[in-house]
Amino acid sequence: MPKDTISKVQEYKDSLITKAETLITKGFPEKIVELNELLSTPMFNERNFTEVHQDLNIPVVAPVLMNHRDGDVDVSDNDHPVTKRPRKDDNISGTAVLGLPSGTVPCNKPLCDMIKVVKPIIRKLVEDSNLLKMWISFMIPKIEDGNNFGVSIQEDTLAEIQTVESEAAAFFDQISRYFLTRAKVVSKVAKYPHIDDYRRAVVELDEKEYLSLWLVVCEVRNRYSSLHDIVIKNLEKLKKPRSSNAENLY
């Protein structure tokens, strides 16, 4: 392998280690304070559900009266026995939605504003977790017999960081599922505009997402706090899992 390639790889490792140590000692405490301040703002602190209530812009159309024949009996001028028509299943098909008279159904603007704030926070947690994961991986020494207590601490910390990374990625999925679920319920409102339960379901879904976004920010803050705590407490063992005089013990 060319020496230039080896030196570049080593430079990458050294820069990553420097970034990770700066992130732990400086970046995490600043992020915790920043998230605490965000949670104290009116957007997240008050949690008034009425602020996320929004009109769907789907009017209730007037009912259409249709003339229909008696489905059970055919009336005849003669006194002959009547013949019943075969009964069909009573399927409720709803209103055919070709277009909404009032235009499109907008997304919930207050929730969209919150999501614009929350998504970069989730993304940053994923990036920071990935950086820490690589940092600890580079600190793990080669496999040897004995004196592996510090290595077990590294592995436990690495597993905790991987869990945080997976949970942060799941927060993204939660947001996309909210929009998909809301779209399905709104389509039900468009198809069955006279059923108030569907309209209420949209309101309940928006309120649930409002609370979930607040909870996501709290969980991100808690994850930063727990990672900072576990790394700082075990920083010496994470950086030097094996003592230099271990050979003298045997």
Side-chain angles (χ1 to χ4, degrees):
M1 185 179 296
K3 293 183 178 180
D4 183 58
T5 302
I6 297 176
S7 62
K8 288 182 179 179
V9 173
Q10 189 60 43
E11 288 176 5
Y12 160 70
K13 291 182 179 180
D14 294 340
S15 64
L16 187 145
I17 291 172
T18 302
K19 289 180 182 178
E21 293 177 354
T22 304
L23 179 66
I24 284 295
T25 57
K26 184 179 179 181
F28 274 24
E30 291 177 352
K31 197 66 178 179
I32 294 169
V33 173
E34 176 187 337
L35 293 176
N36 277 332
E37 293 175 352
L38 177 63
L39 288 170
S40 64
T41 59
M43 178 181 287
F44 292 93
N45 186 35
E46 296 179 358
R47 294 193 296 282
N48 185 3
F49 285 153
T50 57
E51 294 182 358
V52 297
H53 292 173
Q54 181 170 292
D55 183 64
L56 293 179
N57 198 31
I58 301 178
V60 178
V61 297
V64 179
L65 300 178
M66 300 179 63
N67 295 325
H68 60 86
R69 297 175 59 188
D70 188 344
D72 294 332
V73 180
D74 289 338
V75 180
S76 176
D77 294 338
N78 301 324
D79 294 335
H80 298 292
V82 296
T83 303
K84 291 186 177 181
R85 289 163 49 185
R87 183 179 297 275
K88 298 181 180 179
D89 295 335
D90 295 332
N91 293 327
I92 302 176
S93 59
T95 304
V97 182
L98 302 179
L100 297 176
S102 300
T104 61
V105 178
C107 297
N108 191 303
K109 189 179 184 305
L111 288 179
C112 287
D113 293 340
M114 291 183 66
I115 289 172
K116 288 180 181 179
V117 175
V118 173
K119 286 183 72 175
I121 296 173
I122 301 174
R123 185 198 66 203
K124 189 71 170 70
L125 178 59
V126 174
E127 294 173 351
D128 292 344
S129 300
N130 185 266
L131 179 62
L132 283 187
K133 183 174 65 176
M134 294 304 300
W135 171 61
I136 294 181
S137 298
F138 290 153
M139 294 294 103
I140 297 177
K142 65 180 182 179
I143 300 174
E144 294 180 357
D145 293 335
N147 194 25
N148 287 321
F149 177 71
V151 178
S152 66
I153 294 177
Q154 289 179 324
E155 292 174 346
D156 292 342
T157 306
L158 185 61
E160 179 67 21
I161 295 172
Q162 290 173 335
T163 300
V164 171
E165 185 181 27
S166 299
E167 290 178 352
F171 292 151
F172 269 114
D173 183 62
Q174 172 184 322
I175 294 174
S176 61
R177 281 189 284 110
Y178 157 72
F179 285 110
L180 182 60
T181 303
R182 190 177 193 272
K184 290 180 179 179
V185 180
V186 169
S187 66
K188 288 289 187 180
V189 176
K191 192 173 184 180
Y192 306 100
H194 297 86
I195 300 179
D196 288 338
D197 286 333
Y198 284 129
R199 296 178 183 270
R200 183 63 188 178
V202 176
V203 175
E204 295 291 337
L205 188 65
D206 290 342
E207 292 180 356
K208 177 184 176 182
E209 184 64 14
Y210 185 31
L211 185 61
S212 296
L213 290 173
W214 169 81
L215 186 60
V216 164
V217 178
C218 290
E219 288 298 321
V220 171
R221 188 266 319 269
N222 296 341
R223 294 298 180 269
Y224 272 113
S225 301
S226 62
L227 287 181
H228 179 262
D229 184 66
I230 191 174
V231 171
I232 291 298
K233 286 180 178 178
N234 301 282
L235 186 59
E236 183 178 353
K237 282 294 184 182
L238 291 174
K239 297 177 69 173
K240 294 181 179 180
R242 293 195 178 110
S243 57
S244 58
N245 58 347
E247 294 82 2
N248 298 331
L249 300 177
Y250 299 95

